Amino acid sequence: MKKIINKTEDIVPEMISGLVKTNPDLVKEIEGTTAVVRNDEKFAEQKQVGVVSGGGSGHEPLHAGYVGDGMLSAAVAGEVFTSPTPDQIYEAIKAVDQGQGVLLIVKNYSGDVMNFDMAKEMAEADDIEIKTIVVDDDISVENSEFTQGKRGVAGTVLVEKIVGAAARSGMNLTDLAKLGQNVIDQTKTIGIALHAATVPAVGHPGFELAKDEIEYGIGIHNERGYAVEKIKPSNQLANELIEKIMNEFTDKSGSFAVLVNGMGGTLLMEQYIFANDVLNELNDKKIDVKFSKVGNQVTSLDMQGVSLTIMKADDSWIKMLKEPVTTIGW
Amino acid sequence: MELNLADTKKWMNLFVEEVEKNKSNLNELDTAIGDGDHGTNMDRGMQAITAALEKKEPSDLAELYKTVAFAMIQKIGGASGPLYGTAFLDMSKKAKETADLTELIQVGTDGLKRRGQSDVGMKTMIDVWQPVATALKDNKFNQQAVDEALESTKDMVATKGRASYLEEKSRGHLDPGSQSSAYLFGALIKVIGV
């Protein structure tokens, strides 16, 4: 394993420190934590509901890259692939509460859910009004009582974009949580891996794939998916993933948004080829795509692969997706 | 069985040693059915426990358990932080009434069930904690009881936590949280000598 790091235990604090030093007009560190909060001039003036998200590190630029005017108010970075601790989330909540309450955007992983839950209890003891929405867009996992439920993956960034835009426009906490839940319900993602990621503390890839194999349905923490198959040309992959996702929507009319997300180790060149195939195929299917985005948004360290997110979005959501923001990563 | 402050502290120190010694084993177990960092995370918590206990000598059992709980909550992260943290925090509250180990472990186990919204048979650390609590009640607590509880997780299919996404594929692997819990109770056995 070759990595440009110092000590593995210093990876997250040093990353945050570098991020803050290179973007001082956008974010600042919350003292004593690995969380960042908005540092732009508008932040103090806008009395809006605070929007806090966070999770393990390694999904860059999620979440710190999406802190800024129009998206998140603060983001809490946990260790690599490990949810942040409740005390840190609690500090982030306090840093963004402007008396309008705080919305927590949590990805559906047991660690994230439990730590945010404990932080919520701590903040409520301070009389801060808190609501939580849990993103579970990954359709590769059965949502049954026999699993933790569907995971929160790349669709999270679209949820953060829409909720962030609505919060900026002055929406109250109750409506914001409702909107967020509606958005989550219409967001579906599935991912494939060509090569597993290497967690720095472990030093070798999380699982092995032969040179011509890909894994379907991977999560963003190196979890294996539901099937290993031979790799296919991009257009066939696009067809297969679209087929799976569109089956999840009963109503295929109206507007849709598309996110092609790189998992960290796949070139933009390949992502654009795949996006080209996705948009052609959706066009053939008469699916009206009004917003699309390509790039590394919710990576899984250096995993090679992509995920495809499709959202059935009403026109107000499309408008919110298109609104400009001031962040490092969007 | 009652465990006094000095022995409980010895127990915690031994637990720290065991986890630090077996950090890579926990990572390997977690690589099979999770994301490979259970050892790293637990180790971070163990260092925090040592630092906290060196900084301030706890005056009673409740304070000791609370110190351990806070160190784990603040440093472990993931699911293990709030789970272990909740167990020890609930034990700390109970320790204000009793030093009875059987009662304390059962309270800790109930805390795990509440925080994780889970129960026995889901391939989680509860599958070690509950059998240990039961063995204590039945006066059958020993290393064999711990080993058997840990081993039982091997053939389970996970229905909670990260490993649940693997469904059938989670079978055949020991649960990493159960393994770290087995270190905890193995350390206890060394202290009480059963």
Side-chain angles (χ1 to χ4, degrees):
Chain A
M1 177 191 74
K2 284 193 264 189
K3 304 249 180 220
I4 302 172
I5 57 172
N6 296 304
K7 285 189 264 172
T8 50
E9 61 265 37
D10 293 336
I11 286 175
V12 176
E14 290 181 359
M15 166 191 78
I16 294 293
S17 192
L19 178 110
V20 167
K21 279 178 190 151
T22 50
N23 298 279
D25 299 339
L26 291 180
V27 289
K28 67 175 177 193
E29 228 169 315
I30 301 173
E31 217 185 301
T33 71
T34 48
V36 299
V37 59
R38 280 177 62 178
N39 198 33
D40 57 289
E41 281 171 11
K42 267 193 193 167
F43 179 53
E45 300 156 19
Q46 283 170 343
K47 289 275 173 252
Q48 63 156 74
V49 171
V51 182
V52 174
S53 192
S57 296
H59 311 303
E60 50 207 45
L62 197 74
H63 294 274
Y66 300 124
V67 173
D69 182 35
M71 284 186 86
L72 300 175
S73 316
V76 198
E79 292 296 325
V80 173
F81 286 177
T82 302
S83 75
T85 56
D87 51 311
Q88 301 222 357
I89 302 165
Y90 169 62
E91 291 302 325
I93 291 170
K94 283 196 294 184
V96 305
D97 178 47
Q98 296 175 316
Q100 333 280 309
V102 176
L103 181 70
L104 306 179
I105 302 179
V106 183
K107 297 191 295 305
N108 193 28
Y109 279 97
S110 48
D112 287 306
V113 171
M114 281 188 251
N115 282 289
F116 275 85
D117 213 33
M118 288 185 95
K120 178 173 182 269
E121 287 173 15
M122 289 162 85
E124 280 168 346
D126 279 355
D127 293 326
I128 300 175
E129 205 188 338
I130 308 277
K131 285 193 187 292
T132 304
I133 52 171
V134 179
V135 185
D136 58 351
D137 55 318
D138 184 5
I139 60 158
S140 72
V141 175
E142 284 291 318
N143 190 12
S144 74
E145 56 185 308
F146 301 110
T147 69
Q148 186 69 35
K150 296 186 294 169
R151 301 177 284 224
V153 289
T156 309
V157 69
L158 300 182
V159 176
E160 290 179 355
K161 180 70 178 72
I162 293 173
V163 165
R168 172 166 63 180
S169 77
M171 189 178 275
N172 69 45
L173 179 60
T174 306
D175 291 345
L176 204 58
K178 262 188 223 151
L179 168 70
Q181 190 57 54
N182 290 341
V183 172
I184 291 167
D185 293 343
Q186 298 299 330
T187 306
K188 318 285 178 194
T189 301
I190 195 159
I192 51 168
L194 281 60
H195 193 281
T198 298
V199 175
V202 179
H204 58 75
F207 56 89
E208 293 296 333
L209 287 171
K211 273 186 180 161
D212 59 346
E213 283 175 349
I214 60 170
E215 178 118 8
Y216 283 84
I218 42 90
I220 55 172
H221 303 96
N222 250 345
E223 307 99 308
R224 303 211 61 155
Y226 58 80
V228 177
E229 287 177 22
K230 296 280 180 215
I231 190 160
K232 295 173 189 150
S234 166
N235 56 6
Q236 289 178 32
L237 290 174
N239 288 359
E240 203 166 323
L241 299 191
I242 286 170
E243 213 42 56
K244 281 211 156 60
I245 294 177
M246 291 315 291
N247 272 340
E248 299 278 317
F249 294 107
T250 40
D251 178 9
K252 296 172 180 61
S253 66
S255 307
F256 283 80
V258 169
L259 171 67
V260 170
N261 170 57
M263 301 307 296
T266 290
L267 298 181
L268 272 175
M269 180 172 73
E270 293 166 61
Q271 294 178 35
Y272 278 118
I273 291 168
F274 180 70
N276 182 46
D277 290 324
V278 166
L279 294 179
N280 284 342
E281 172 73 13
L282 288 171
N283 188 46
D284 289 351
K285 288 186 182 304
K286 307 274 182 272
I287 305 293
D288 185 12
V289 178
K290 287 223 171 80
F291 174 88
S292 57
K293 192 168 178 70
V294 178
N296 296 330
Q297 313 288 329
V298 186
T299 59
S300 178
L301 289 173
D302 54 356
M303 179 185 275
Q304 283 178 13
V306 289
S307 67
L308 175 64
T309 303
I310 301 180
M311 170 193 284
K312 184 168 160 54
D314 74 34
D315 288 336
S316 69
W317 300 1
I318 297 286
K319 190 169 155 277
M320 288 193 272
L321 283 170
K322 288 182 177 173
E323 276 179 17
V325 295
T326 317
T327 66
I328 299 163
W330 177 256
Chain B
M1 185 200 310
E2 293 208 347
L3 202 61
N4 65 25
L5 178 62
D7 280 345
T8 308
K9 204 179 159 194
K10 213 185 285 174
W11 173 26
M12 291 301 114
N13 287 332
L14 266 173
F15 173 44
V16 166
E17 268 178 42
E18 281 294 307
V19 170
E20 286 177 347
K21 203 165 66 192
N22 293 292
K23 175 181 160 184
S24 52
N25 181 39
L26 291 174
N27 278 342
E28 288 302 322
L29 289 176
D30 194 31
T31 300
I33 56 171
D35 55 4
D37 62 359
H38 186 56
T40 309
N41 293 338
M42 288 300 289
D43 185 54
R44 204 167 44 240
M46 297 303 110
Q47 290 175 25
I49 292 174
T50 306
L53 291 179
E54 275 170 5
K55 199 172 154 196
K56 191 172 176 288
E57 185 71 32
S59 57
D60 58 26
L61 266 188
E63 201 188 325
L64 174 60
Y65 284 131
K66 191 177 166 190
T67 304
V68 170
F70 273 50
M72 293 176 106
I73 290 170
Q74 291 177 356
K75 286 294 172 191
I76 298 180
S80 314
L83 286 170
Y84 271 110
T86 300
F88 278 99
L89 204 53
D90 287 4
M91 285 161 70
S92 161
K93 287 176 196 157
K94 188 73 182 174
K96 286 179 183 157
E97 302 163 20
T98 177
D100 183 71
L101 197 57
T102 309
E103 281 187 57
L104 289 175
I105 302 294
Q106 187 57 59
V107 162
T109 308
D110 295 342
L112 291 178
K113 291 178 184 174
R114 186 184 83 245
R115 181 61 64 197
Q117 296 183 357
S118 43
D119 212 328
V120 287
M122 293 174 164
K123 202 179 179 95
T124 71
M125 53 202 276
I126 293 167
D127 291 307
V128 166
W129 281 69
Q130 186 56 65
V132 164
T134 307
L136 279 164
K137 257 174 238 152
D138 300 341
N139 230 347
K140 287 177 182 157
F141 176 60
N142 52 32
Q143 189 61 48
Q144 195 192 339
V146 176
D147 292 344
E148 279 172 12
L150 171 63
E151 203 57 33
S152 79
T153 67
K154 195 165 196 171
D155 289 328
M156 288 178 186
V157 172
T159 53
K160 275 281 172 180
R162 183 90 42 94
S164 70
Y165 302 125
L166 293 169
E167 300 182 8
E168 271 298 323
K169 277 185 260 174
S170 67
R171 207 191 286 278
H173 301 279
L174 287 179
D175 173 53
S178 294
Q179 177 66 76
S180 60
S181 299
Y183 294 142
L184 172 70
F185 295 116
L188 175 60
I189 287 161
K190 282 186 189 160
V191 174
I192 60 178
V194 286

